[in-house]
Amino acid sequence: LATSIDDIILFAAIELKTLNSRPHSLFSSTVSFFVGMMLVGSLFGLTYFTFYLIKKNNKDESWQVLQNGFNQDFVLNKMFFIIYMIRIGLPMVVAVCCENQPVVCCLMQIIISFAIVRYLSKMKPLKKLTNRYQIMIYEVVILIMNICVGLITLIRVTKASYPRLSGALDGFVFAANIFLNVLPIIFLVIKGIFEGFMINKRREEQ
C-alpha cells in the first residue's frame, strides 16, 4: 500500500475529475470513486498508525521494520518511513493540482527532489550502507531527470528552438528511466555478494 501511494492518488484524482462526465456509467463510476476514496483513507490511516508506533517506541517484533533499518539518533530518522511515504505521494499531488501549469509543476518536482536528496545526504536515515547508496543514487537520478524535464518543458512553453538540447535531454530522461528500472537488480546482486561474503567470513571465524 505504501509503495503505491502515487498510483492511488492518481486513480482517486482521475475518478474525482471524471465522475460527472460519465452519466452512462454512473454506477461503476461511483463505485470506482468510493474505492479510490477508501484507498486514500487507508493511506491516512497507515500514516497515522506508523506515527503512533514510532511515538510509542513499539518494541513488538512485528513492527521492527519501522526501527531496525533506520538510525534512531534523530526524530526525522525515526520517522523516515512516513517521510518517504509523503515523498512518494507528494509529486503526484503536485501533478494533479498543477495540471494546467507545467512550469510550476516541474519547479515543485525539482524542489521536492532536492529536499529529499538534501535530507538523505545530511541525516543518513538508513543504517545499511548498501540501502543508503541505493536510495541516494535513485534520488539523485530522479533530481537530474526532473531538472531535464523542467528544461524541456520550459523550451516547449516558450516555443524556443533548441533541437539538439531538447534531443539530448529527451535521450537522457529515456536512458535514466531504464537505469532506474535496472538499479534494484544491480543492488540486489551487490547485496547478495556482500551477504555471501559475510557468511563465509563468520564461518571462517568459527
Side-chain angles (χ1 to χ4, degrees):
L1 184 63
T3 57
S4 303
I5 293 176
D6 50 350
D7 295 327
I8 292 172
I9 292 173
L10 178 62
F11 170 76
I14 291 174
E15 290 301 324
L16 179 62
K17 288 188 174 185
T18 60
L19 184 62
N20 296 325
S21 63
R22 295 176 291 177
H24 57 283
S25 57
L26 185 60
F27 176 76
S28 61
S29 298
T30 304
V31 171
S32 297
F33 173 74
F34 279 109
V35 169
M37 291 300 102
M38 287 175 61
L39 290 173
V40 172
S42 299
L43 290 176
F44 281 106
L46 177 62
T47 303
Y48 175 79
F49 184 62
T50 304
F51 178 77
Y52 173 80
L53 290 176
I54 295 171
K55 187 178 179 182
K56 291 293 183 180
N57 198 23
N58 196 298
K59 299 298 183 181
D60 189 334
E61 291 184 0
S62 302
W63 309 106
Q64 287 302 296
V65 66
L66 301 178
Q67 296 177 340
N68 283 349
F70 312 135
N71 290 317
Q72 303 294 305
D73 47 352
F74 297 104
V75 175
L76 287 177
N77 286 345
K78 292 181 180 180
M79 298 179 63
F80 176 74
F81 187 80
I82 294 177
I83 291 172
Y84 209 70
M85 282 176 60
I86 295 172
R87 182 263 174 275
I88 294 172
L90 193 57
M92 192 57 67
V93 173
V94 171
V96 170
C97 294
C98 302
E99 181 182 1
N100 298 319
Q101 297 174 310
V103 176
V104 174
C105 181
C106 291
L107 180 61
M108 292 299 297
Q109 302 287 7
I110 292 171
I111 292 173
I112 293 169
S113 288
F114 179 80
I116 195 67
V117 168
R118 176 65 175 165
Y119 164 72
L120 290 171
S121 61
K122 185 175 182 180
M123 303 302 292
K124 297 179 175 60
L126 297 174
K127 287 183 179 179
K128 287 188 176 182
L129 282 177
T130 50
N131 292 337
R132 193 184 301 173
Y133 287 139
Q134 180 178 355
I135 196 170
M136 192 65 183
I137 292 172
Y138 179 87
E139 290 298 338
V140 169
V141 173
I142 288 291
L143 173 60
I144 298 173
M145 285 177 62
N146 283 334
I147 293 173
C148 290
V149 171
L151 291 173
I152 293 170
T153 303
L154 194 61
I155 289 172
R156 291 177 180 175
V157 168
T158 57
K159 296 181 180 179
S161 179
Y162 297 101
R164 288 188 178 180
L165 178 60
S166 297
L169 292 173
D170 288 336
F172 177 83
V173 172
F174 178 76
N177 267 305
I178 296 175
F179 173 74
L180 291 180
N181 289 325
V182 176
L183 185 64
I185 301 174
I186 295 173
F187 270 89
L188 183 63
V189 173
I190 293 173
K191 291 174 185 178
I193 295 172
F194 180 75
E195 290 297 328
F197 174 78
M198 294 303 295
I199 291 171
N200 288 332
K201 187 176 180 181
R202 282 193 293 266
R203 285 178 178 175
E204 291 175 358
E205 290 176 352
Q206 292 175 357

